[in-house]
Amino acid sequence: MEQVESIIQSISEIIWSWPMIILLLGTHIYLTIRLRFPQRKIFTAIKISLQSDNNSKGDVSQFAALATALAATIGTGNIIGVATAISLGGPGAVFWCWLTGVLGIATKYSEGLLAIKYRITNKYGEMSGGPMYALERGLNMKWLAILFSIFTAIAALGIGNMVQSNSIALLVNDTWGVPLHISGIIVAFLVMLVIIFGVKGIAKVCTTLVPLMAIFYIIGCLWILTMNLEYIPNAISLIINSAFSTEAVGGGFLGSAMIVAMRYGIARGLFSNESGLGSAPIVAAAAQTRNPVRQALVSASGTFWDTVIICALTGIVLVSSIIAYPDIDTSLGGTLTTAAFSKLPGFGNIMLTISLFTFAFSTILGWCYYGEKAIEYISGVKYVKIYRVIWIIVVFLGAIINLSVVWAISDIMNALMALPNLISLLLLSGVIAKETRFYLWDKHLNDSGD
């Protein structure tokens, strides 16, 4: 078993090495330039996300679709992931993580646009869309669409389910001593109560939970920053200087601090905001919106909140805490985050526990919808209920078993998801540019047209 685990881990490391990172980051940069920097419309995007297009086709509001996507995206990666980037790549990794989010806004925008452009109405009158429909209807690549759906359904069970329920169970066990199997039963039951109502039930819970959990976590971060106020300028300076440092790490240019910071900062940023993976457009397709570009902007705002705001806050909190408290253990991401929040008087660890719990739980809900839509594309809606039953069982299993192999397999599946999605984005970039030019730059944003 150890040999199998080692092989799977090696494959994961190969897949998520520089070629994949360059492909993802290169797509971000290409779409940013070709679409004439849609990032500058981010405040328009935020405004639209709070408006309603109730008379338009769709299953849920634009805000509900955004909240569900954020529920799946904002998870332990935003908290532990940033800390891991710092522990492996140094403070400069925070800058590259943040920059990846800024550039990733264009990719998330493009995914949302194609989701609306090529979505369909299934036999129950519900919207279905995402990279599989863009690949089939836009590029006539049904075989690749099926592969994307298979990878998504498998990845959802791993990174979107087992990993999250395991994080919750271990967290509750460490904080309050609750046995793992008890946590597994409780979380599985709570998930069941939500997902039996489909996308509307998931969206309703996420619409309530996501703003509350984000505000709760941001308050904790701001409180720590208030305590570390005198160290913030030094923290920001250290992050920027480390991001561009040519100081050797292990010898030679390839081992420079800048290269190491880029490697881990970009990788963690991509994992955090999921721009390019093809997951978020699946729920974006369910949004009530009058034209593809409006929902594209709303989808793009998700990356802004996820990486540009929350990951940046986390990074500054952690680096300023390292400066303020030199005794903090920086060798592991989890211990670094725990140490930083433990400095909050009285209930820092409880605040972190609640934040991680809600982040992980909401991720389970969001990824359940992604997996269901992937199964629907492969085999039709009749198998979705079976997938839900499997999903609930896997929530429990994830809480009680060792997940080192699951992590590695999930990483591989995520990469295999990204490849077909990136193909659709690059080959359909002309369609994206044409729609963007008409609706956004030629000022037809309020026009109807699917």
Side-chain angles (χ1 to χ4, degrees), residues 35 150 166 179 193 204 229 268 295 356 398 410:
L35 301 179
I150 292 171
N166 189 261
L193 291 179
K204 188 172 183 179
L229 193 59
R268 287 298 129 190
Q295 182 54 37
L356 285 171
S410 298

Side-chain angles (χ1 to χ4, degrees), residues 303-358:
T303 298
F304 173 79
W305 292 119
D306 173 83
T307 307
V308 179
I309 300 298
I310 293 180
C311 281
L313 269 177
T314 302
I316 297 172
V317 162
L318 296 178
V319 175
S320 64
S321 295
I322 292 171
I323 297 173
Y325 310 101
D327 60 324
I328 283 182
D329 182 6
T330 61
S331 60
L332 294 173
T335 56
L336 172 56
T337 307
T338 302
F341 272 81
S342 67
K343 302 303 179 181
L344 282 175
F347 56 89
N349 286 335
I350 294 176
M351 176 174 279
L352 180 61
T353 298
I354 293 174
S355 296
L356 285 171
F357 180 95
T358 53

Side-chain angles (χ1 to χ4, degrees), residues 364-433:
I364 293 174
L365 298 180
W367 271 92
C368 179
Y369 182 73
Y370 298 160
E372 285 182 11
K373 284 299 181 181
I375 292 296
E376 178 187 316
Y377 183 82
I378 297 168
S379 55
V381 293
K382 62 182 178 180
Y383 290 102
V384 168
K385 290 183 179 179
I386 297 175
Y387 188 79
R388 286 179 186 169
V389 173
I390 295 172
W391 188 268
I392 293 167
I393 294 171
V394 170
V395 170
F396 172 74
L397 293 177
I400 61 174
I401 65 175
N402 187 294
L403 292 185
S404 54
V405 175
V406 175
W407 263 109
I409 293 175
S410 298
D411 286 347
I412 293 170
M413 290 300 107
N414 275 344
L416 294 176
M417 280 176 63
L419 288 172
N421 180 55
L422 293 174
I423 289 172
S424 70
L425 289 171
L426 294 173
L427 294 183
L428 292 171
S429 60
V431 174
I432 300 168

Side-chain angles (χ1 to χ4, degrees), residues 204-350:
K204 188 172 183 179
V205 172
C206 292
T207 300
T208 303
L209 190 61
V210 168
L212 290 177
M213 74 182 189
I215 290 171
F216 186 72
Y217 178 69
I218 289 172
I219 288 173
C221 288
L222 293 176
W223 193 340
I224 295 174
L225 290 177
T226 300
M227 295 170 56
N228 297 348
L229 193 59
E230 63 181 293
Y231 303 102
I232 292 177
N234 287 340
I236 294 174
S237 176
L238 180 60
I239 288 170
I240 295 173
N241 291 335
S242 299
F244 298 97
S245 173
T246 56
E247 180 182 347
V249 177
F253 176 73
L254 291 178
S256 74
M258 177 179 172
I259 296 298
V260 174
M262 286 180 66
R263 162 70 177 83
Y264 290 104
I266 292 172
R268 287 298 129 190
L270 294 172
F271 266 116
S272 171
N273 60 54
E274 296 181 15
S275 295
L277 289 187
S279 50
I282 296 175
V283 71
Q288 296 170 330
T289 185
R290 69 187 74 170
N291 63 61
V293 169
R294 287 178 70 86
Q295 182 54 37
L297 288 169
V298 173
S299 294
S301 70
T303 298
F304 173 79
W305 292 119
D306 173 83
T307 307
V308 179
I309 300 298
I310 293 180
C311 281
L313 269 177
T314 302
I316 297 172
V317 162
L318 296 178
V319 175
S320 64
S321 295
I322 292 171
I323 297 173
Y325 310 101
D327 60 324
I328 283 182
D329 182 6
T330 61
S331 60
L332 294 173
T335 56
L336 172 56
T337 307
T338 302
F341 272 81
S342 67
K343 302 303 179 181
L344 282 175
F347 56 89
N349 286 335
I350 294 176

Side-chain angles (χ1 to χ4, degrees), residues 5 13 59 120 128 140 235 294 324 386-388 390 414 440:
E5 182 179 335
E13 290 176 358
D59 302 324
I120 65 168
S128 296
N140 198 27
R294 287 178 70 86
I386 297 175
Y387 188 79
R388 286 179 186 169
I390 295 172
N414 275 344
L440 188 59

Side-chain angles (χ1 to χ4, degrees), residues 194-207:
V194 177
I195 67 173
I196 58 174
F197 295 103
V199 65
K200 292 184 178 179
I202 293 172
K204 188 172 183 179
V205 172
C206 292
T207 300

